[in-house]
Amino acid sequence: MSQDELLALPTTISVDTAARAMGLGRTRAYQLARRGEFPCKVIRIGASYRVVTVDLRRLLGIEPS
C-alpha cells in the first residue's frame, strides 16, 4: 500500500486493510485484534473490528503534509 493510499483512507478501516498496510496476514491480524494486542487502536462494533487510521499512520511513520 502506497503512502498516498494510506493518506486517502477514511477515519477507521477494516482489520484486513490495516493488516495489508503492515504486511500482516489476515488470520494473524484478527488473532491480535481479538486478544487486544493489535499494534494500533481497534474499536469493536458488534461483531466487527475497526482500526483507527491515525494510529496506523503513526505506527508506519506516515503523517499528512
Side-chain angles (χ1 to χ4, degrees):
M1 185 173 281
S2 73
Q3 183 171 339
D4 289 336
E5 289 173 316
L6 286 166
L7 290 172
L9 291 172
T11 306
T12 63
I13 57 175
S14 68
V15 171
D16 289 336
T17 301
R20 194 173 78 233
M22 293 187 296
L24 282 177
R26 181 181 188 276
T27 302
R28 181 71 174 142
Y30 275 100
Q31 287 173 344
L32 293 171
R34 275 189 223 96
R35 284 192 241 146
E37 297 175 2
F38 201 80
C40 305
K41 183 173 181 176
V42 176
I43 300 168
R44 185 161 183 195
I45 303 169
S48 66
Y49 293 88
R50 302 295 294 174
V51 175
V52 177
T53 306
V54 71
D55 286 347
L56 174 64
R57 288 184 191 132
R58 195 173 297 124
L59 175 75
L60 298 174
I62 297 173
E63 298 293 330
S65 50

